[in-house]
Amino acid sequence: MNGPMPSMIAGGVLNQHLIDPEVCIRCNTCEETCPIDAITHDDTNYVVRAETCNGCMACVPPCPTGAIDNWRMVAREDAYSLEDQYGWDVLPAQGTVATSADAPGAEQQEPGGAREEAGDGLTVDTARGSQLPPWSAARPYVNLYTHKLPTTATVVGNYRLTAEDADSAIHHIVLDFGKLPFPVLEGQSIGILPPGGTADGRAHHARQYSIASPRDGERPGYNNLSLTVKRVRAARNDGRDGRDGVCSNYLCDLQKGDSVQVIGPFGHTFLMPNHPASDLLMICTGTGAAPMRAMTEYRRRKRLSGATGRLMLFFGARSADELPYFGPLTRLPKDFIDTNLAFSRSPDEPRRYVQDLMRARAPDVAALLRGEDSYIYVCGLKAMEEGVLQALAAIAEQEGLDWPVLWERLRREGRLHIETY
Ligand SMILES: Cc1cc2nc3c(=O)[nH]c(=O)nc-3n(C[C@H](O)[C@H](O)[C@H](O)COP(=O)(O)OP(=O)(O)OC[C@H]3O[C@@H](n4cnc5c(N)ncnc54)[C@H](O)[C@@H]3O)c2cc1C
Ligand code: SF4
Ligand code: SF4
């Protein structure tokens, strides 16, 4: 971390917390993490309110790019305003500041992780998932390619996963990096730079997509990876005000042989354990299937060389037609993965969400929660997060487990990972 001191006022000097617009991939993670709403954004940049940020550092570990970890010493009256920050294409350099940050009476705080002050003076961890990877996870590479220096991949496959007449169009897209290194791990994501720009003449910023293939390639031994991309359509009311999504439509329309500008990889915590006896509890909806597919496929390949850990999957979609990878999933052996599919809009069937199925399988979920070697992954639409955590809490209670204690332990041990968007 680059911010030895948090953003705070000391002797008239502010160590101002800023976000690097050249590196930021606009994933919203920091805005969600900040316990006091110090981060906001417009269509261009993510920015920090100087007068609100208290330098608690909660937003720093979850940021997948490190863009959040920027600090500039400024005289308090010269602090960069939100308007300044919205207008930046690059971060300003550190200028000279007349007043010393080490002035007598200057307060310093240790970077504190995801913490906020509770009314009684206690600090409370505000992150819902772990900010550490599993202890045995492989070391990820991050930020090898940036907005300034992207790499180029070639589309070697693009096909629709969901039924042609299904409402939701989800594509499986395979990108090949040829001879250029692009090392990834399951659970990481990449950024795609769509061509063109916004109405005000700026280049489009990158959009983030989870990697759906294992570390050794969509096809083992090839320098390629796959993505699971859902078209964001205005017509389906996905749009805030009726505009088709820029990047998802660009990606879904790509043809074999097309070139794509890629940045990343990103993500250093939502990673799978490497020790073969570890159990995975995976809970996802829609394109949240991407990292689960990557992990499952890695384990399937590893199984042949002795991975013994259990895999349990809860996967939700509106209907079987809209569930990406439905066919391949249902063909995986039952003794390899315990698959539970929840459909919320199946004709003639009651609505079922992943949390309903989890509750129905409470003893088996609890067995995993009890296990010292279980790792939990939640990925998909933001709306699912609350329900899944409630279901885990209810199951724990029903099965005689102390959820608050267990939850804290899972987070501390890098065993509960949540990625919703
Ligand atoms: C960690 C992470 C992992 C992700 N993984 C995946 C994945 O595996 N698969 C996947 O499909 N997605 C994934 N996403 C989501 C993805 O990054 C994109 O957000 C998504 O594809 C939409 O991007 P877009 O460019 O198509 O839409 P955008 O152009 O960004 O638009 C998004 C929405 O906002 C509306 N909107 C935006 N700007 C305006 C404006 N100025 N005026 C009017 N409306 C506007 C659009 O109508 C649209 O509905 C992930 C996101 C994160 C953070
Ligand atoms: S990349 Fe980092 S700074 Fe940018 S929005 Fe995501 S978490 Fe925030
Ligand atoms: S999480 Fe903490 S350091 Fe980050 S912006 Fe919010 S108050 Fe500032």
Side-chain angles (χ1 to χ4, degrees):
M1 293 177 198
N2 300 319
M5 279 195 305
S7 173
M8 65 183 340
I9 295 149
V13 172
L14 180 69
N15 189 15
Q16 188 174 357
H17 187 188
L18 299 169
I19 293 174
D20 186 341
E22 285 187 287
V23 178
C24 172
I25 51 172
R26 284 80 177 165
C27 66
N28 205 49
T29 307
C30 52
E31 193 171 322
E32 282 160 27
T33 310
C34 178
I36 54 170
D37 291 335
I39 297 177
T40 182
H41 70 276
D42 69 357
D43 283 345
T44 312
N45 286 344
Y46 274 71
V47 297
V48 186
R49 292 186 178 94
E51 69 283 8
T52 311
C53 174
N54 63 14
C56 72
M57 305 294 272
C59 56
V60 174
C63 170
T65 64
I68 194 84
D69 200 8
N70 282 285
W71 309 79
R72 294 287 184 275
M73 302 298 284
V74 292
R76 183 181 185 183
E77 59 273 19
D78 295 336
Y80 297 108
S81 66
L82 293 192
E83 285 62 40
D84 292 336
Q85 298 176 52
Y86 284 138
W88 289 342
D89 291 323
V90 291
L91 266 187
Q94 174 64 66
T96 36
V97 188
T99 332
S100 166
D102 301 324
E107 277 182 70
Q108 295 200 4
Q109 274 180 1
E110 290 303 315
R115 288 178 189 281
E116 65 178 332
E117 282 286 319
D120 54 5
L122 296 170
T123 52
V124 182
D125 200 324
T126 54
R128 304 179 117 193
S130 300
Q131 298 189 25
L132 295 167
W135 66 266
S136 64
R139 202 63 188 267
Y141 286 90
V142 292
N143 286 334
L144 292 179
Y145 302 94
T146 60
H147 277 88
K148 245 187 190 165
L149 281 176
T151 189
T152 304
T154 306
V155 179
V156 292
N158 182 356
Y159 62 90
R160 186 172 163 141
L161 291 167
T162 47
E164 281 303 326
D165 58 350
D167 265 0
S168 167
I170 299 181
H171 282 237
H172 184 72
I173 298 168
V174 186
L175 302 179
D176 192 275
F177 292 89
K179 299 271 180 260
L180 291 167
F182 203 92
V184 297
L185 291 173
E186 306 78 15
Q188 285 194 291
S189 57
I190 63 169
I192 299 288
L193 289 170
T198 55
D200 62 2
R202 289 166 185 260
H204 285 304
H205 64 76
R207 269 59 162 188
Q208 208 175 347
Y209 295 91
S210 303
I211 295 161
S213 48
R215 64 190 80 179
D216 54 343
E218 169 71 7
R219 184 168 170 191
Y222 280 68
N223 189 17
N224 61 15
L225 57 79
S226 61
L227 305 175
T228 313
V229 180
K230 179 181 168 187
R231 258 186 210 280
V232 174
R233 282 276 198 216
R236 291 198 56 241
N237 285 333
D238 286 326
R240 288 199 301 252
D241 69 352
R243 187 171 67 76
D244 284 352
V246 171
C247 195
S248 56
N249 284 281
Y250 160 69
L251 281 171
C252 292
D253 288 337
L254 286 170
Q255 305 291 316
K256 255 184 168 177
D258 285 348
S259 295
V260 186
Q261 297 289 288
V262 181
I263 65 173
F266 304 118
H268 49 271
T269 56
F270 194 106
L271 302 174
M272 67 186 294
N274 257 1
H275 56 296
S278 49
D279 299 326
L280 308 185
L281 171 58
M282 299 174 281
I283 305 155
C284 62
T285 54
T287 54
M292 313 311 184
R293 178 183 186 268
M295 292 185 192
T296 304
E297 182 57 14
Y298 184 66
R299 270 299 171 83
R300 196 188 64 80
R301 291 178 193 175
K302 274 280 158 198
R303 190 185 187 216
L304 307 172
S305 53
T308 52
R310 283 170 295 171
L311 271 62
M312 188 174 203
L313 172 71
F314 291 92
F315 190 175
R318 286 155 62 99
S319 65
D321 276 356
E322 296 197 12
L323 192 127
Y325 310 116
F326 179 73
L329 252 181
T330 49
R331 286 194 289 275
L332 288 171
K334 298 266 175 293
D335 65 343
F336 167 62
I337 183 166
D338 181 349
T339 301
N340 301 267
L341 305 178
F343 299 121
S344 59
R345 301 281 192 288
S346 259
D348 309 323
E349 287 193 22
R351 289 186 178 195
R352 301 198 91 188
Y353 297 95
V354 280
Q355 52 269 34
D356 301 325
L357 282 192
M358 289 168 68
R359 285 192 169 93
R361 298 286 312 273
D364 300 305
V365 173
L368 284 174
L369 290 180
R370 255 186 218 105
E372 301 280 315
D373 236 348
S374 304
Y375 293 77
I376 305 172
Y377 299 86
V378 181
C379 188
L381 292 181
K382 192 139 295 298
M384 75 180 291
E385 187 176 322
E386 189 62 39
V388 167
L389 284 171
Q390 279 174 7
L392 287 172
I395 291 165
E397 193 180 331
Q398 178 186 325
E399 300 291 321
L401 295 162
D402 184 338
W403 175 245
V405 171
L406 179 60
W407 186 8
E408 176 54 32
R409 192 172 152 211
L410 289 167
R411 281 188 297 173
R412 211 178 47 241
E413 296 178 355
R415 298 202 286 132
L416 173 61
H417 296 277
I418 302 173
E419 188 162 273
T420 56
Y421 44 85

